[in-house]
C-alpha cells in the first residue's frame, strides 16, 4: 500500500467518522425511525439525511426531505404520519421580545414553549417537560392544572427543533431552559432529551447553554450532576425555612432543601460550575429581613468553592 493510498484511506475514514451519528436513545421516535430505515434496507446515510433535515427550516414533512427516495418518504409517512416532528403549533401569542406557542401532540395533550429575543441579539427557548404538573406548588399556575403526563424526549427535542422558530430567516435558539410547564427532574425522559439536544448532528447545543430548573427532585438532581455536569442548574428555594417551604413546595417533605443543597455543594466543587438559587418574593410571606439573612447563609454554603447566584422575582 502506498503512503498516498494510506493517507487517502485515513482521510476517508475520518470523514465517515465525522458524518456518523450516535444512536438515538432507545425507545424514542428517532430510534424507531432509524430502525425502520434499517428494516427497509436503506444505507446508514439515509438516517443522516433525515436528521440533517430536522435542522433545516423548510423541512416539515417527510415528503419535503427530497434527499430521500420517494419510496422511502412514502414508507416513513405511512409508518409515522406526515410530519418529521411529533408536535404541531395550535396557538400563539407574541410581543416585541417574547413569543409563546402552545403545541399539541396526541389529541388533547398541550403544552407551552416560550421564545425570548434579547436586545443583545441572542435568543433563549423556555421548554416544557410535562403537560401540567403534579407537585402542587402553591405559587404555580401550572400546579392548578395537575399532571396530564410526562412529555417524551422526542416532544421536548421537537420544541427546540420545530421550524416555527426559524421562519422567516431565523436560526435555532442559542440557549434552552427547562423552565416551562412541569418539574423537569420528575420526568426521566428529560435525560434522553438532554442527550438529543447536546448530541452531535442532533441539537448540537453546548451543555453550558442548557439550564435545568428544579424545585428539588433530589435523586434525579444527583443523576443530572453526574451525567451532564456542565448543564446549568437553578434550584427554586422560595423559603429558607423548612416548614414554610413545605407549604409552598410540598416536595420539601420528600426531598428537603438541605439534601438538594448538599448535592449542589458537592457539584460546585467538582464541576466548578456556578449554582443559581431562584427565589419568588411573595409579599407578607417570605420577604422579611429574617428570610434574607437565612437565605444569605444558605448561599454561603454553596459559595465556598465556585459560587452561587440568587435570582429574585
Amino acid at each position: 500500500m502506498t503512503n498516498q493510498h494510506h493517507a487517502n484511506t485515513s482521510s476517508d475514514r475520518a470523514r465517515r467518522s465525522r458524518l456518523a451519528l450516535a444512536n438515538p436513545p432507545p425507545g424514542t421516535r428517532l430510534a424507531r425511525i432509524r430502525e425502520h430505515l434499517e428494516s427497509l434496507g436503506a444505507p446508514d446515510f439515509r438516517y443522516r439525511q433525515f436528521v440533517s433535515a430536522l435542522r433545516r427550516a423548510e423541512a416539515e414533512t417527510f415528503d419535503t426531505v427530497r434527499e430521500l427516495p420517494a419510496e422511502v418518504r412514502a414508507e416513513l409517512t405511512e409508518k409515522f404520519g406526515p410530519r418529521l416532528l411529533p408536535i404541531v403549533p395550535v396557538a400563539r401569542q407574541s410581543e416585541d421580545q417574547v413569543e409563546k406557542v402552545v403545541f399539541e401532540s396526541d389529541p388533547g395533550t398541550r403544552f407551552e414553549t416560550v421564545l425570548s429575543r434579547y436586545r443583545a441579539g441572542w435568543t433563549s427557548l423556555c421548554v416544557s417537560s410535562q403537560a401540567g404538573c403534579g407537585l402542587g406548588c402553591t405559587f404555580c399556575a401550572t400546579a392548578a392544572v395537575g399532571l396530564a403526563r410526562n412529555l417524551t424526549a422526542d416532544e421536548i427535542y421537537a420544541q427546540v427543533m420545530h421550524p416555527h422558530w426559524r421562519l422567516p430567516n431565523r436560526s435555532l435558539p442559542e440557549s434552552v431552559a427547562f423552565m416551562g410547564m412541569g418539574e423537569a427532574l420528575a420526568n426521566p425522559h428529560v435525560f434522553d432529551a438532554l442527550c438529543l439536544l447536546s448530541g452531535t448532528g442532533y441539537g448540537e447545543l453546548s451543555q453550558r447553554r442548557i439550564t435545568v430548573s428544579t424545585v428539588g427532585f433530589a435523586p434525579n438532581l444527583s443523576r443530572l450532576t453526574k451525567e451532564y455536569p456542565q448543564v446549568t442548574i437553578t434550584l427554586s428555594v422560595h423559603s429558607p425555612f423548612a416548614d414554610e417551604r413545605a407549604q409552598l413546595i410540598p416536595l420539601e417533605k420528600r426531598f428537603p432543601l438541605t439534601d438538594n443543597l448538599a448535592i449542589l455543594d458537592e457539584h460546585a466543587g467538582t464541576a466548578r460550575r456556578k449554582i443559581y438559587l431562584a427565589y419568588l418574593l411573595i409579599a407578607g410571606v417570605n420577604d422579611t429581613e429574617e428570610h434574607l439573612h437565612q437565605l444569605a447563609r444558605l448561599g454561603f454554603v454553596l459559595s465556598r468553592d465556585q459560587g452561587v447566584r440568587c435570582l429574585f422575582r
Side-chain angles (χ1 to χ4, degrees), residues 97-99 113-117 123-126 165 170 173:
Q97 292 180 262
V98 178
E99 180 181 359
T113 310
V114 177
L115 179 71
S116 298
R117 303 181 187 92
T123 57
S124 180
L125 195 68
C126 179
W165 306 119
R170 300 177 189 168

Side-chain angles (χ1 to χ4, degrees), residues 128-300:
S128 293
S129 55
Q130 297 177 311
C133 185
L135 295 188
C137 297
T138 58
F139 55 85
C140 179
T142 305
V145 177
L147 178 65
R149 66 172 174 86
N150 287 329
L151 299 185
T152 67
D154 298 287
E155 289 166 337
I156 297 170
Y157 175 67
Q159 289 176 70
V160 179
M161 304 302 295
H162 201 280
H164 173 85
W165 306 119
R166 292 174 279 166
L167 295 173
N169 301 320
R170 300 177 189 168
S171 60
L172 290 171
E174 280 92 358
S175 63
V176 171
F178 284 78
M179 293 183 176
M181 298 174 70
E183 162 57 45
L185 294 184
N187 180 0
H189 301 312
V190 161
F191 292 93
D192 285 343
L194 289 172
C195 176
L196 291 173
L197 290 173
S198 61
T200 300
Y202 293 97
E204 296 192 342
L205 280 168
S206 164
Q207 287 187 30
R208 292 191 172 214
R209 291 188 175 271
I210 301 173
T211 297
V212 174
S213 178
T214 178
V215 297
F217 204 93
N220 280 346
L221 178 60
S222 179
R223 178 183 172 187
L224 178 67
T225 62
K226 293 176 174 60
E227 294 185 13
Y228 295 94
Q230 296 302 307
V231 164
T232 301
I233 297 172
T234 297
L235 174 65
S236 293
V237 176
H238 306 329
S239 176
F241 303 111
D243 291 345
E244 184 177 67
R245 188 172 189 268
Q247 294 176 12
L248 298 171
I249 304 173
L251 194 65
E252 167 74 16
K253 299 171 185 176
R254 291 180 60 195
F255 306 121
L257 178 62
T258 51
D259 291 356
N260 288 282
L261 290 175
I263 293 168
L264 294 179
D265 187 34
E266 179 181 355
H267 174 60
T270 56
R272 311 298 295 175
R273 297 286 284 138
K274 283 185 172 65
I275 306 300
Y276 291 81
L277 302 182
Y279 198 92
L280 178 68
L281 285 169
I282 305 173
V285 176
N286 64 353
D287 60 347
T288 68
E289 287 193 15
E290 187 179 5
H291 286 88
L292 179 61
H293 293 321
Q294 185 61 26
L295 182 64
R297 284 193 284 270
L298 292 179
F300 178 75

